[in-house]
Amino acid sequence: MEPRRTPEPRRWLVPLVWAGVVLLASVVDPGGGGAASGGSTASSLLASDKLLHGIGYGILAVLAARAVDSRELAAALLVVLTVALFGFGVEVVQWPLPYRAFSLADAAVNALGAVVGVAAWAGYARVLADPSS
């Protein structure tokens, strides 16, 4: 008996909802002074911000790679490119917001999260396909 596949449109529901959550979290006022705040904990906040970017976009990449359900290199690269461009787009949306700031470093971490997420999905899918390896 073949495994039951989720119908095409529903496969994209979770990645699209997660993309919406990421976008919403990226445009709301974070409070506490936003992009202009500083202080003694600035370096720890910066590290946690980059970690959140990497995790958020890594999850988005895993969900999108799962929805594509392809182990081909071209499909994996397309997912990485799409997620990275979404991350760059979110940074552009933040640019005019007074409590947010455009950041190339954030965009780079978003892209890195996309690469790690797709690589993690590819490894997991390979194990699923051949559990003996």
Side-chain angles (χ1 to χ4, degrees):
M1 177 181 229
E2 278 191 43
R4 196 167 150 209
R5 291 189 38 86
T6 305
E8 184 75 26
R10 287 192 6 215
R11 285 194 337 220
W12 287 98
L13 182 61
V14 174
L16 289 174
V17 167
W18 184 253
V21 167
V22 168
L23 177 61
L24 183 62
S26 300
V27 298
V28 298
D29 187 348
S37 67
S40 62
T41 60
S43 63
S44 64
L45 287 175
L46 179 64
S48 66
D49 171 63
K50 299 302 180 254
L51 183 63
L52 289 174
H53 277 264
I55 291 170
Y57 284 88
I59 290 170
L60 180 57
V62 166
L63 295 172
R66 180 177 175 265
V68 168
D69 195 25
S70 176
R71 292 165 191 89
E72 294 177 13
L73 180 60
L77 292 175
L78 183 60
V79 170
V80 169
L81 181 63
T82 301
V83 172
L85 285 174
F86 175 73
F88 186 81
V90 168
E91 291 302 317
V92 170
V93 167
Q94 290 178 341
W95 182 21
L97 301 177
Y99 45 85
R100 293 292 188 166
F102 174 85
S103 168
L104 283 177
D106 285 352
V109 174
N110 298 346
L112 179 61
V115 170
V116 171
V118 167
W121 173 254
Y124 179 72
R126 176 174 279 160
V127 169
L128 284 180
D130 185 14
S132 65
S133 61

Coordinates of all heavy atoms in Angstrom, one line a residue, residues 43-99:
S43 N 25.2 43.1 22.6 CA 25.9 41.9 21.9 C 25.1 40.6 22.1 O 25.0 39.8 21.1 CB 27.3 41.7 22.3 OG 27.4 41.4 23.7
S44 N 24.5 40.4 23.3 CA 23.7 39.2 23.5 C 22.4 39.3 22.7 O 21.9 38.3 22.2 CB 23.5 39.0 25.0 OG 22.7 40.0 25.5
L45 N 21.8 40.5 22.6 CA 20.6 40.7 21.8 C 20.9 40.4 20.4 O 20.1 39.8 19.7 CB 20.0 42.1 22.1 CG 19.4 42.3 23.4 CD1 18.9 43.8 23.5 CD2 18.2 41.4 23.6
L46 N 22.0 40.9 19.9 CA 22.4 40.7 18.5 C 22.6 39.2 18.2 O 22.0 38.7 17.2 CB 23.7 41.5 18.2 CG 24.2 41.3 16.7 CD1 23.2 41.9 15.8 CD2 25.6 42.0 16.6
A47 N 23.2 38.5 19.1 CA 23.4 37.1 18.9 C 22.1 36.3 18.9 O 21.8 35.5 18.0 CB 24.4 36.5 19.9
S48 N 21.2 36.7 19.8 CA 19.9 36.0 19.9 C 19.0 36.4 18.6 O 18.3 35.5 18.1 CB 19.2 36.3 21.2 OG 18.8 37.7 21.2
D49 N 19.2 37.6 18.2 CA 18.4 38.0 17.0 C 18.9 37.2 15.8 O 18.1 36.7 15.0 CB 18.7 39.5 16.7 CG 18.2 40.0 15.4 OD1 16.9 39.9 15.2 OD2 19.0 40.4 14.5
K50 N 20.2 37.0 15.6 CA 20.7 36.2 14.4 C 20.3 34.8 14.6 O 19.9 34.1 13.6 CB 22.2 36.4 14.3 CG 22.7 37.8 14.1 CD 22.1 38.4 12.8 CE 22.6 39.8 12.6 NZ 21.6 40.8 12.8
L51 N 20.3 34.3 15.8 CA 19.9 32.9 16.0 C 18.4 32.7 15.7 O 18.0 31.7 15.0 CB 20.1 32.5 17.5 CG 19.8 31.1 17.9 CD1 20.7 30.1 17.1 CD2 20.0 30.9 19.4
L52 N 17.6 33.7 16.1 CA 16.1 33.6 15.7 C 15.9 33.7 14.2 O 15.1 33.0 13.7 CB 15.4 34.7 16.4 CG 15.2 34.6 17.9 CD1 14.5 35.8 18.5 CD2 14.4 33.3 18.3
H53 N 16.7 34.5 13.5 CA 16.6 34.6 12.1 C 17.0 33.2 11.5 O 16.2 32.7 10.6 CB 17.6 35.7 11.5 CG 17.0 37.0 11.5 ND1 16.4 37.6 10.5 CD2 17.0 38.0 12.5 CE1 16.0 38.8 10.8 NE2 16.4 39.1 12.0
G54 N 18.1 32.7 11.9 CA 18.5 31.4 11.3 C 17.5 30.3 11.6 O 17.2 29.5 10.7
I55 N 17.0 30.2 12.8 CA 16.0 29.2 13.1 C 14.7 29.4 12.3 O 14.1 28.5 11.7 CB 15.7 29.1 14.6 CG1 16.9 28.6 15.4 CG2 14.5 28.3 15.0 CD1 16.9 28.8 16.9
G56 N 14.2 30.6 12.3 CA 12.9 30.9 11.6 C 13.0 30.6 10.1 O 12.1 29.9 9.6
Y57 N 14.1 31.0 9.5 CA 14.2 30.7 8.0 C 14.6 29.3 7.8 O 14.3 28.7 6.7 CB 15.1 31.7 7.4 CG 14.4 33.1 7.2 CD1 14.4 34.0 8.2 CD2 13.7 33.3 6.1 CE1 13.7 35.2 8.1 CE2 13.0 34.5 6.0 CZ 13.0 35.5 7.0 OH 12.3 36.6 6.9
G58 N 15.3 28.7 8.7 CA 15.6 27.2 8.6 C 14.3 26.4 8.6 O 14.1 25.5 7.8
I59 N 13.4 26.7 9.5 CA 12.1 26.0 9.6 C 11.3 26.3 8.3 O 10.7 25.3 7.8 CB 11.3 26.5 10.9 CG1 12.0 26.0 12.1 CG2 9.9 26.0 10.8 CD1 11.5 26.6 13.4
L60 N 11.3 27.5 7.9 CA 10.6 27.8 6.6 C 11.1 27.0 5.5 O 10.4 26.4 4.7 CB 10.7 29.3 6.3 CG 9.9 29.7 5.0 CD1 8.5 29.4 5.1 CD2 10.1 31.3 4.8
A61 N 12.5 26.8 5.4 CA 13.1 26.1 4.3 C 12.7 24.6 4.4 O 12.4 23.9 3.4 CB 14.6 26.3 4.3
V62 N 12.7 24.0 5.6 CA 12.3 22.6 5.8 C 10.9 22.4 5.4 O 10.6 21.5 4.6 CB 12.5 22.2 7.3 CG1 11.8 20.9 7.6 CG2 14.0 22.1 7.7
L63 N 10.0 23.3 5.8 CA 8.6 23.2 5.4 C 8.4 23.3 3.9 O 7.6 22.6 3.3 CB 7.8 24.2 6.1 CG 7.7 24.1 7.7 CD1 7.0 25.3 8.3 CD2 7.1 22.8 8.1
A64 N 9.1 24.2 3.3 CA 9.0 24.4 1.8 C 9.6 23.2 1.1 O 9.0 22.7 0.1 CB 9.7 25.7 1.4
A65 N 10.7 22.7 1.5 CA 11.4 21.5 0.9 C 10.5 20.3 1.0 O 10.3 19.5 0.1 CB 12.7 21.3 1.5
R66 N 9.8 20.2 2.2 CA 8.9 19.1 2.4 C 7.7 19.2 1.4 O 7.2 18.2 0.9 CB 8.4 19.1 3.8 CG 7.4 18.0 4.2 CD 7.0 18.1 5.7 NE 6.0 17.1 5.9 CZ 4.7 17.4 6.0 NH1 4.3 18.6 5.7 NH2 3.8 16.4 6.3
A67 N 7.2 20.4 1.2 CA 6.1 20.7 0.3 C 6.4 20.4 -1.1 O 5.6 19.8 -1.8 CB 5.5 22.1 0.5
V68 N 7.6 20.7 -1.5 CA 8.1 20.4 -2.8 C 8.3 18.9 -3.0 O 8.0 18.4 -4.1 CB 9.5 21.1 -3.1 CG1 10.1 20.6 -4.4 CG2 9.3 22.6 -3.2
D69 N 8.7 18.2 -1.9 CA 8.8 16.8 -1.9 C 9.6 16.3 -3.1 O 9.3 15.3 -3.8 CB 7.4 16.1 -1.9 CG 7.5 14.7 -1.5 OD1 8.4 14.3 -0.8 OD2 6.6 13.9 -2.0
S70 N 10.8 16.9 -3.3 CA 11.7 16.5 -4.3 C 13.1 16.4 -3.8 O 13.5 17.2 -3.0 CB 11.6 17.5 -5.5 OG 12.6 17.1 -6.5
R71 N 13.8 15.4 -4.2 CA 15.2 15.2 -3.7 C 16.2 15.7 -4.8 O 17.3 15.4 -4.7 CB 15.4 13.8 -3.3 CG 14.6 13.4 -2.1 CD 14.6 11.9 -1.9 NE 13.6 11.6 -0.9 CZ 12.3 11.4 -1.1 NH1 11.8 11.4 -2.3 NH2 11.5 11.1 -0.1
E72 N 15.7 16.3 -5.9 CA 16.5 16.8 -6.9 C 17.2 18.1 -6.5 O 16.6 18.9 -5.8 CB 15.7 17.0 -8.2 CG 15.1 15.8 -8.8 CD 14.2 16.0 -10.0 OE1 14.3 17.2 -10.5 OE2 13.5 15.1 -10.4
L73 N 18.5 18.2 -7.0 CA 19.3 19.4 -6.6 C 18.6 20.7 -7.1 O 18.6 21.7 -6.4 CB 20.7 19.3 -7.2 CG 21.6 20.4 -7.0 CD1 21.8 20.6 -5.4 CD2 22.9 20.2 -7.7
A74 N 18.0 20.7 -8.3 CA 17.4 21.9 -8.8 C 16.3 22.4 -7.9 O 16.1 23.6 -7.6 CB 16.9 21.7 -10.2
A75 N 15.5 21.4 -7.4 CA 14.3 21.8 -6.6 C 14.9 22.3 -5.2 O 14.3 23.3 -4.7 CB 13.4 20.6 -6.4
A76 N 15.9 21.7 -4.7 CA 16.5 22.1 -3.4 C 17.0 23.6 -3.6 O 16.8 24.4 -2.7 CB 17.6 21.2 -3.0
L77 N 17.7 23.8 -4.7 CA 18.3 25.2 -4.9 C 17.2 26.2 -5.1 O 17.3 27.3 -4.6 CB 19.2 25.1 -6.1 CG 20.5 24.4 -5.9 CD1 21.3 24.3 -7.3 CD2 21.4 24.9 -4.8
L78 N 16.1 25.8 -5.7 CA 14.9 26.7 -5.9 C 14.3 27.1 -4.5 O 14.0 28.2 -4.3 CB 13.9 26.1 -6.8 CG 12.7 27.0 -7.1 CD1 13.1 28.2 -7.8 CD2 11.7 26.2 -8.0
V79 N 14.2 26.1 -3.6 CA 13.7 26.4 -2.3 C 14.6 27.3 -1.6 O 14.2 28.3 -1.0 CB 13.5 25.0 -1.5 CG1 13.2 25.4 0.0 CG2 12.4 24.2 -2.1
V80 N 15.9 27.1 -1.6 CA 16.9 27.9 -0.9 C 16.8 29.4 -1.5 O 16.7 30.3 -0.7 CB 18.4 27.4 -1.1 CG1 19.4 28.5 -0.7 CG2 18.6 26.1 -0.3
L81 N 16.8 29.5 -2.8 CA 16.7 30.8 -3.4 C 15.4 31.5 -3.1 O 15.4 32.7 -2.7 CB 16.7 30.7 -5.0 CG 16.7 32.0 -5.8 CD1 17.8 32.9 -5.4 CD2 16.6 31.7 -7.2
T82 N 14.3 30.8 -3.1 CA 13.0 31.4 -2.7 C 12.9 31.9 -1.3 O 12.5 33.0 -1.0 CB 11.8 30.4 -3.0 OG1 11.9 30.0 -4.4 CG2 10.5 30.9 -2.7
V83 N 13.4 31.0 -0.4 CA 13.4 31.4 1.0 C 14.3 32.6 1.3 O 14.0 33.5 2.0 CB 13.7 30.2 1.9 CG1 13.9 30.6 3.4 CG2 12.6 29.1 1.8
A84 N 15.5 32.5 0.7 CA 16.5 33.6 0.8 C 15.9 34.9 0.3 O 16.0 36.0 0.9 CB 17.8 33.3 0.2
L85 N 15.2 34.9 -0.9 CA 14.6 36.1 -1.4 C 13.5 36.6 -0.6 O 13.3 37.8 -0.4 CB 14.1 35.8 -2.9 CG 15.3 35.7 -3.9 CD1 14.7 35.3 -5.3 CD2 16.0 37.1 -4.0
F86 N 12.7 35.7 0.0 CA 11.7 36.1 0.9 C 12.3 36.8 2.1 O 11.8 37.9 2.5 CB 10.9 34.9 1.4 CG 9.8 35.2 2.4 CD1 8.7 35.8 2.1 CD2 10.0 34.8 3.8 CE1 7.7 36.1 3.1 CE2 9.1 35.1 4.7 CZ 7.9 35.8 4.4
G87 N 13.4 36.3 2.6 CA 14.1 36.9 3.8 C 14.6 38.3 3.4 O 14.5 39.2 4.2
F88 N 15.2 38.4 2.2 CA 15.6 39.7 1.7 C 14.4 40.7 1.6 O 14.5 41.9 2.0 CB 16.4 39.6 0.4 CG 17.0 40.9 0.0 CD1 18.2 41.3 0.5 CD2 16.4 41.7 -1.0 CE1 18.8 42.5 0.1 CE2 16.9 42.9 -1.4 CZ 18.2 43.3 -0.8
G89 N 13.3 40.2 1.0 CA 12.1 41.0 0.9 C 11.6 41.5 2.2 O 11.2 42.6 2.3
V90 N 11.7 40.6 3.2 CA 11.2 41.1 4.6 C 12.1 42.2 5.1 O 11.6 43.1 5.7 CB 11.2 39.9 5.5 CG1 11.0 40.3 7.0 CG2 10.1 38.9 5.2
E91 N 13.4 42.1 4.8 CA 14.3 43.1 5.2 C 14.0 44.5 4.5 O 14.0 45.5 5.2 CB 15.8 42.7 5.0 CG 16.3 41.6 5.8 CD 16.2 41.9 7.3 OE1 16.5 43.1 7.7 OE2 15.8 41.0 8.1
V92 N 13.6 44.4 3.3 CA 13.2 45.6 2.5 C 12.0 46.2 3.1 O 11.8 47.4 3.3 CB 13.1 45.3 1.0 CG1 12.4 46.4 0.3 CG2 14.4 44.9 0.4
V93 N 11.0 45.3 3.5 CA 9.8 45.8 4.1 C 10.1 46.5 5.4 O 9.4 47.5 5.8 CB 8.8 44.6 4.3 CG1 7.6 45.0 5.2 CG2 8.3 44.1 3.0
Q94 N 11.1 46.1 6.1 CA 11.4 46.7 7.4 C 12.1 48.0 7.3 O 12.1 48.8 8.2 CB 12.4 45.8 8.2 CG 11.7 44.5 8.7 CD 12.7 43.6 9.5 OE1 13.9 43.8 9.3 NE2 12.2 42.7 10.3
W95 N 12.7 48.3 6.1 CA 13.4 49.5 5.9 C 12.7 50.8 6.3 O 13.2 51.6 7.0 CB 13.9 49.5 4.4 CG 14.8 50.7 4.0 CD1 15.5 51.5 4.8 CD2 15.0 51.1 2.7 NE1 16.2 52.4 4.1 CE2 15.9 52.2 2.7 CE3 14.5 50.7 1.5 CZ2 16.3 52.9 1.6 CZ3 14.9 51.4 0.3 CH2 15.8 52.4 0.4
P96 N 11.5 51.0 5.8 CA 10.8 52.3 6.2 C 10.2 52.3 7.6 O 9.7 53.4 8.0 CB 9.7 52.4 5.1 CG 9.4 51.0 4.7 CD 10.7 50.3 4.9
L97 N 10.2 51.2 8.3 CA 9.5 51.2 9.6 C 10.5 51.8 10.6 O 11.6 51.4 10.7 CB 9.2 49.7 10.0 CG 8.3 48.9 9.0 CD1 8.1 47.5 9.5 CD2 6.9 49.6 8.9
P98 N 9.9 52.8 11.4 CA 10.8 53.5 12.3 C 11.3 52.6 13.5 O 12.3 52.9 14.1 CB 9.9 54.6 12.9 CG 8.5 54.1 12.6 CD 8.5 53.2 11.4
Y99 N 10.7 51.5 13.8 CA 11.1 50.6 14.9 C 11.8 49.4 14.4 O 12.1 48.5 15.2 CB 9.9 50.3 15.7 CG 8.7 49.8 14.9 CD1 8.5 48.5 14.5 CD2 7.7 50.8 14.5 CE1 7.5 48.2 13.7 CE2 6.6 50.4 13.8 CZ 6.5 49.1 13.3 OH 5.5 48.7 12.6

